[in-house]
Amino acid sequence: MKKDIILAGVGGQGILSIAAIIGSAALDMGLYLKQSEVHGMAQRGGDVSSNLRIGDKEIASDLIAKGKADIVISVEPMEGLRYLPMLSSEGWLITNSTPFKNIPNYPEIDDLYTEIAKVHRHVMIDAEGIAKELGTAKAANVVILGAASAHLGISFESLENAIRRIFAKKGDAVVELNINALKAGRDFAEKNSHL
Amino acid sequence: MQKLLLLGDEAIAQGAIDAGLSGIYAYPGTPSTEITEYVQHSKEAQQKGIRCSWSTNEKTAMEAALGMSYAGKRAMVCMKHVGLNVAADPFINSAITGANGGMIIVSADDPSMHSSQNEQDSRFFGKFAMMPILEPSNQQEAYDMVHYGFELSEKYMIPVLMRITTRMAHSRAGVSRKSETRKQNEMKLPTDLRQFVLLPAIARRRYKGLLSNQELFEMESEKSVFNNYIDGADKKMGIITTGIAFNYLMENYPERVIPNPVLKIDQYPIPRKLVEKLYNECDELLILEEGYPLVEDMLKGFMANGKKIKGRLDGTVPRDGELNPNIVAVALGMTDTIGADVPGNVVSRPPALCTGCPHTDSYLALNEALIKLEPGRVFADIGCYTLGALKPLEAINTCVDMGASITMAKGAADAGLVPAVAVIGDSTFTHSGITGLIDAVNDKSPITVLILDNGTTAMTGGQNSAAQGRIESICRGIGVEEEHIRILKPLRKNHEENTQIMMEELAYNGVSVIIPRRECIVAIDKRVRAKAKIKAEDQA
Ligand SMILES: Cc1ncc(C[n+]2csc(CCOP(=O)(O)OP(=O)(O)O)c2C)c(N)n1
Ligand code: SF4
């Protein structure tokens, strides 16, 4: 098993929280992992990405080769599209639909949706909307993770357990909320995957 | 023991804690910052009493580390690559004084300039100083090399340079800790109390010692566990990799078997015998290095009259920028891979000042104060405020190296550009701005210096700033006139008043210092959250 995952978003959107959950679950399953992160200048509201690689054999490169990513998980619609050159022709684009507009020339959102719809395999999800219904928009990233969960090579239980470990300090209510967010994302993706 | 999931930076820090470190000295700089931060947050390091607060700049850090080594204890000093320029004087000389307690210098290079002004390769500095260099290819090696590096340092009484690059520093992987950790050294002064006295007569003797040790350093490289000769049947081409380039090579062979002989170099001086073996056995060589073509240039030589050497110098690999699996695939003659194109409507999203950033208000006032003058007179520096160069503010004209704002403004004013403005952050001011301000005061140069005091070292993640609350007294002490030290609060509602103050000082024919003071909003947020966390823990 080998999964090459690109996480995309804007500095400050917390893409590394998604990486932390996948990473914890992968380690728990005894898998190898390499995760390249962006620190520094780009974090000031610029585009950021992380290369997350998991597998049952030792991983060589910290960076994924172009055209070889199995999945791009994006917390922002334009940012997901930025990494299409990384995605394999069989790969999945899992993206949030809510734009993060911190630049004056942000494109027409419908044009971005059109481009997303052109990607062979994709899921587009209103993560904030779903998270708000569950209680807080803060769980949006976990909703997106849920939407990606079928394609990670990691069992759903392992992801749930990782959430329990990571959010344990914040109390049962927060753990419960995030597990629900994970499920909601998964349910949505099961009904709305475009192949 | 379960593996720890660590960044390369963190692996180095944990390695140092486990190898009997007594003190770490550093000034923040991407991608090196997390080494020191890890030690600062480590309970173990705290229990062991490891000294770990920030230094004012890389030079003071290097010298303090050398002092700790003088006293017999193990010291580490960390910086980004350009920090080594700042610390170059003590760095080069420390190879001549030698070490007493083990000393490792970590310099983190940033090929492709993700967060830097250049992509200089610290291995050249190591070679220049004639020090052994270690260059880990993965996180586990980074951890292991710290133990090894301190041993090497104490065996030959020589500081050791560890060179890492961005992808090593900021990538996480599982790391196994050693089952046995080392105790710190007891304090023990050098047996020769003149070892560190670089008077010419002593320095000449010590320098000869350094020269004669080169052979021994090479012998260590020759037998190092980190330098490996991996044989392969296809001798048409031999491959040399340094540091993480090895991973990109392996990535292109999913079965992890490379048909050609490979020499993986992670320790320098270059292991001459191993290189000769590869050279003699193969028809040509491909050199893969993350950084400048150091090994390639040495092997090729000026006349290039030996076998064919391929790499960055002949265009087989791009001359600049970091490596990746695709670049290496092309260099190996494999077909490149790429997914779909980026859709045309995707636009770039450059980093920008946060909404509500105090620097924005300082620049808005400055822009207005300068509106009637010819543009091109604002000499800035390095920090979040460098983003003021971009739209919509477009407020500054230079960013060269830490501290250069004040000194360049002075030089330009000397040339007749009056008024000249310097813009510098509080942390950059203490790093390298104070000395330049003394020059300006001594010459009574007509410059206006804005010291943007946001109470933190924001660009690198909000570390403590050295002169917290003392900037105006430092300026007074240097000799800036009291009435030309103006403190203001950069807020939109104070815009008129702030612009007025700036215009007054721009008109003054001497040194003025304006201190716009308002805390970085990210720092406020962090402070408030930390407080809430402590409160929540207290209640629990
Ligand atoms: C010699 C050197 N050391 C370190 C750095 C990394 N660095 C860039 S900006 C910065 C912090 C500047 O802080 P400050 O001047 O207070 O400005 P702020 O970011 O807070 O606005 C640092 C440490 C560098 N570029 N050069
Ligand atoms: S981190 Fe602080 S100093 Fe930097 S842009 Fe944001 S508010 Fe301004």
Side-chain angles (χ1 to χ4, degrees):
Chain A
M1 195 285 283
K2 183 173 82 70
K3 288 287 169 192
D4 285 337
I5 305 160
I6 304 266
L7 293 162
V10 180
Q13 278 191 307
I15 59 166
L16 293 182
S17 66
I18 298 179
I21 298 170
I22 302 176
S24 174
L27 275 197
D28 206 40
M29 289 174 70
L31 298 171
Y32 288 97
L33 178 140
K34 272 200 173 179
Q35 180 195 328
S36 169
E37 304 174 359
V38 171
H39 296 220
M41 189 102 173
Q43 283 176 303
R44 296 275 155 277
D47 57 277
V48 293
S49 67
S50 169
N51 284 208
L52 180 57
R53 315 192 67 196
I54 48 185
D56 51 14
K57 284 207 213 85
E58 195 138 8
I59 295 156
S61 164
D62 297 276
L63 296 177
I64 299 167
K66 289 184 194 128
K68 297 272 182 83
D70 298 294
I71 177 165
V72 170
I73 303 176
S74 181
V75 299
E76 207 278 345
M78 182 172 76
E79 293 310 322
L81 293 169
R82 197 185 297 286
Y83 298 95
L84 290 188
M86 299 299 298
L87 194 61
S88 98
S89 53
E90 297 303 306
W92 280 92
L93 169 66
I94 313 286
T95 182
N96 194 5
S97 60
T98 313
F100 187 96
K101 297 184 182 178
N102 63 344
I103 43 172
N105 56 338
Y106 194 91
E108 274 303 320
I109 188 68
D110 286 335
D111 294 348
L112 293 176
Y113 292 161
T114 309
E115 293 297 338
I116 290 168
K118 285 188 202 159
V119 178
H120 176 44
R121 299 176 154 183
H122 73 272
V123 176
M124 184 164 77
I125 182 166
D126 174 13
E128 271 80 11
I130 293 177
K132 261 188 220 148
E133 270 175 35
L134 293 170
T136 166
K138 274 191 197 161
N141 285 0
V142 178
V143 172
I144 296 168
L145 173 60
S149 60
H151 311 294
L152 299 173
I154 290 178
S155 70
F156 196 74
E157 292 73 38
S158 299
L159 290 172
E160 285 182 323
N161 290 337
I163 286 177
R164 289 202 180 89
R165 277 193 298 276
I166 288 170
F167 292 99
K169 269 196 205 149
K170 299 193 171 165
D172 292 345
V174 176
V175 169
E176 205 52 35
L177 180 84
N178 281 288
I179 296 227
N180 289 339
L182 189 75
K183 284 191 184 129
R186 174 77 161 228
D187 289 346
F188 179 89
E190 272 168 12
K191 293 183 201 113
N192 298 282
S193 288
H194 299 275
L195 284 164
Chain B
M1 215 187 294
Q2 225 226 326
K3 283 189 178 182
L4 298 174
L5 189 56
L6 298 178
L7 294 175
D9 275 352
E10 296 172 342
I12 291 171
Q14 187 66 54
I17 294 169
D18 292 348
L21 179 78
S22 292
I24 186 163
Y25 296 87
Y27 181 72
T30 314
S32 71
T33 311
E34 293 80 3
I35 307 172
T36 308
E37 287 185 334
Y38 185 90
V39 177
Q40 289 172 344
H41 298 141
S42 157
K43 290 220 170 73
E44 245 177 310
Q46 207 175 6
Q47 281 157 6
K48 294 181 172 181
I50 297 175
R51 185 273 168 211
C52 61
S53 49
W54 294 108
S55 303
T56 306
N57 66 35
E58 292 86 354
K59 179 172 181 286
T60 67
M62 182 85 68
E63 290 155 349
L66 191 62
M68 181 167 272
S69 165
Y70 173 94
K73 298 199 177 182
R74 292 190 193 104
M76 178 174 267
V77 50
C78 309
M79 63 204 66
K80 71 181 292 162
H81 58 343
V82 288
L84 194 50
N85 299 339
V86 176
D89 202 0
F91 173 72
I92 302 287
N93 290 320
S94 73
I96 301 176
T97 63
N100 183 29
M103 173 159 164
I104 296 180
I105 299 116
V106 185
S107 182
D109 295 355
D110 189 17
S112 283
M113 305 180 224
H114 298 282
S115 306
S116 307
Q117 313 102 286
N118 72 29
E119 58 171 25
Q120 68 185 62
D121 186 329
S122 297
R123 294 176 302 165
F124 281 85
F125 255 124
K127 184 169 181 292
F128 185 28
M130 289 180 262
M131 263 181 212
I133 309 168
L134 302 174
E135 189 186 10
S137 70
N138 60 47
Q139 292 74 0
Q140 185 66 54
E141 273 186 4
Y143 174 89
D144 295 336
M145 272 183 175
V146 178
H147 290 251
Y148 177 84
F150 277 130
E151 259 167 38
L152 192 67
S153 173
E154 289 181 358
K155 182 170 175 188
Y156 294 101
M157 299 176 72
I158 180 86
V160 170
L161 174 67
M162 183 182 277
R163 184 251 186 176
I164 55 172
T165 50
T166 302
R167 299 300 173 184
M168 174 70 221
H170 286 167
S171 176
R172 249 171 238 287
V175 173
S176 307
R177 283 174 72 180
K178 289 194 188 295
S179 49
E180 273 173 51
T181 59
R182 253 187 243 148
K183 277 212 186 73
Q184 292 182 33
N185 286 345
E186 296 292 327
M187 190 172 90
K188 183 176 159 288
L189 299 189
T191 33
D192 171 9
L193 283 178
R194 293 201 300 184
Q195 179 190 332
F196 288 74
V197 184
L198 294 186
L199 270 171
I202 302 171
R204 274 182 221 116
R205 185 166 48 75
R206 290 215 56 91
Y207 182 52
K208 280 194 197 301
L210 176 65
L211 291 175
S212 68
N213 270 343
Q214 295 303 305
E215 224 171 287
L216 299 174
F217 298 164
E218 197 174 300
M219 184 264 296
E220 291 288 347
S221 283
E222 227 51 87
K223 63 171 203 202
S224 168
V225 293
F226 299 110
N227 290 339
N228 309 112
Y229 190 98
I230 308 156
D231 210 359
D234 183 356
K235 314 275 187 205
K236 280 204 279 299
M237 184 174 78
I239 303 170
I240 294 180
T241 67
T242 68
I244 65 169
F246 182 72
N247 307 340
Y248 300 134
L249 175 66
M250 291 307 261
E251 185 66 26
N252 280 291
Y253 296 96
E255 299 308 318
R256 304 288 183 256
V257 182
I258 297 164
N260 311 78
V262 177
L263 174 58
K264 169 176 178 276
I265 300 179
D266 286 353
Q267 180 175 340
Y268 310 75
I270 298 173
R272 183 182 294 271
K273 291 199 189 101
L274 292 176
V275 173
E276 275 170 3
K277 179 172 147 81
L278 190 75
Y279 187 84
N280 291 335
E281 285 189 4
C282 302
D283 300 342
E284 59 176 36
L285 297 186
L286 169 66
I287 321 284
L288 300 171
E289 301 179 75
E290 181 78 318
Y292 288 7
L294 176 125
V295 174
E296 185 185 345
D297 203 12
M298 284 175 75
L299 296 197
K300 197 165 197 157
F302 195 67
M303 309 306 281
N305 52 3
K307 289 180 184 172
K308 189 167 180 191
I309 310 274
K310 298 192 293 184
R312 289 193 187 265
L313 293 173
D314 77 338
T316 304
V317 177
R319 183 63 180 79
D320 63 332
E322 62 181 349
L323 298 176
N324 61 39
N326 296 85
I327 287 174
V328 172
V330 172
L332 292 166
M334 299 177 175
T335 40
D336 200 4
T337 56
I338 191 150
D341 289 342
V342 180
N345 53 350
V346 171
V347 294
S348 68
R349 196 188 300 256
L353 293 171
C354 304
T355 315
C357 173
H359 298 332
T360 305
D361 293 309
S362 299
Y363 279 137
L364 288 174
L366 180 65
N367 280 352
E368 184 150 345
L370 289 170
I371 208 154
K372 295 215 178 95
L373 295 166
E374 281 280 295
R377 57 182 75 240
V378 182
F379 300 84
D381 229 298
I382 307 192
C384 280
Y385 52 93
T386 314
L387 296 170
L390 309 176
K391 278 189 167 64
L393 291 164
E394 299 184 303
I396 63 170
N397 307 109
T398 69
C399 158
V400 181
D401 67 276
M402 290 189 84
S405 56
I406 298 179
T407 32
M408 283 183 73
K410 184 208 180 312
D414 290 345
L417 185 71
V418 179
V421 181
V423 178
I424 187 167
D426 52 333
S427 180
T428 305
F429 178 65
T430 46
H431 179 288
S432 290
I434 298 174
T435 43
L437 190 57
I438 297 176
D439 282 351
V441 167
N442 288 349
D443 269 10
K444 210 171 180 298
S445 307
I447 63 169
T448 302
V449 181
L450 266 67
I451 305 176
L452 306 182
D453 185 5
N454 59 358
T456 187
T457 316
M459 180 95 258
T460 45
Q463 296 77 16
N464 283 349
S465 182
Q468 205 78 282
R470 284 177 293 153
I471 290 178
E472 53 271 43
S473 38
I474 290 172
C475 294
R476 239 179 269 128
I478 288 173
V480 181
E481 295 151 288
E482 182 78 54
E483 59 275 28
H484 293 290
I485 300 175
R486 311 284 295 265
I487 298 168
L488 48 85
K489 187 156 192 179
L491 277 173
R492 213 58 56 97
K493 67 171 181 168
N494 300 342
H495 179 76
E496 315 285 285
E497 186 190 334
N498 292 346
T499 306
Q500 182 58 34
I501 292 174
M502 288 185 192
M503 286 173 70
E504 283 166 26
E505 295 308 326
L506 285 168
Y508 175 59
N509 189 30
V511 178
S512 318
V513 170
I514 299 171
I515 307 172
R517 175 170 290 147
R518 177 157 73 81
E519 192 176 357
C520 157
I521 56 165
V522 174
I524 297 177
D525 192 50
K526 222 162 118 182
R527 205 156 41 76
V528 171
R529 275 199 223 181
K531 239 191 206 163
K533 200 175 156 198
I534 291 169
K535 206 171 157 194
E537 280 170 4
D538 282 353
Q539 280 167 351

